Amino acid sequence: MTKVDFYILPSADPSARLDFACKLSEKAWRMGHRIYLHCSDAAQRDDLDARLWAFKGEAFVPHGPADSEPDGAIVLGLGDDCGQHQDLLVNLDLKVPPFAGRFARVAEVVVEDPAIRQAARESFRFYREQGYPLQDHRLQRL
């Protein structure tokens, strides 16, 4: 069954979610996982793409958009189709994607912005009602 982790960041800045997604993706990739980063829109996907290129100067994290590199190790996607991915889903949208249950693990990244916190509460309720094992990680620093 899909395991769901909520990462609660000590920041109100929505861009902190993208920075954390970069760190989480790089760590998971180094551990041999395939990562699907689900973005809310093209602007967020483009911002995340730029951050993945720049977040760690000494290391390259291979990634690409789902429409041109659907089978990549780290894929940035939009919409209701995650292709063949089913290892780790990092959800950066404000709602649970319909394919979340296909993944072994789901990471929800939360900041102290009111809209994002409210969406996370609704997602938490959804996952709980579906019976997914839930865990929250309250980070003390970024």
Side-chain angles (χ1 to χ4, degrees):
M1 173 165 275
T2 302
K3 295 180 182 177
V4 182
D5 294 288
F6 281 80
Y7 293 92
I8 296 110
L9 309 182
S11 173
D13 183 2
S15 70
R17 296 174 75 218
L18 302 183
D19 292 335
F20 183 79
C22 290
K23 291 176 189 176
L24 183 64
S25 297
E26 191 255 350
K27 182 178 179 181
W29 172 70
R30 292 207 182 282
M31 294 174 69
H33 294 282
R34 294 184 68 224
I35 302 99
Y36 185 85
L37 291 148
H38 182 64
C39 301
S40 59
D41 56 34
Q44 184 186 54
R45 183 190 59 200
D46 293 346
D47 189 3
L48 184 59
D49 177 49
R51 288 170 191 265
L52 280 165
W53 278 108
F55 96 101
K56 207 168 194 182
E58 71 279 1
F60 171 70
V61 179
H63 67 281
D67 51 1
S68 64
E69 298 180 37
D71 296 322
I74 301 175
V75 173
L76 287 68
L78 301 169
D80 293 340
D81 182 14
C82 64
Q84 298 301 313
H85 283 268
Q86 51 189 326
D87 191 3
L88 172 61
L89 166 65
V90 179
N91 185 27
L92 297 168
D93 199 357
L94 295 182
K95 61 187 182 308
V96 177
F99 49 77
R102 287 182 41 188
F103 285 80
R105 295 194 80 127
V106 174
E108 294 279 349
V109 185
V110 184
V111 294
E112 296 172 5
D113 175 89
I116 294 170
R117 285 191 67 95
Q118 181 58 38
R121 285 185 189 103
E122 292 169 14
S123 295
F124 189 91
R125 270 192 291 281
F126 171 81
Y127 290 125
R128 186 179 60 210
E129 289 169 1
Q130 300 301 310
Y132 294 118
L134 302 170
Q135 182 158 5
D136 68 288
H137 308 275
R138 296 181 185 278
L139 282 71
Q140 301 301 315
R141 61 185 174 82
L142 294 176

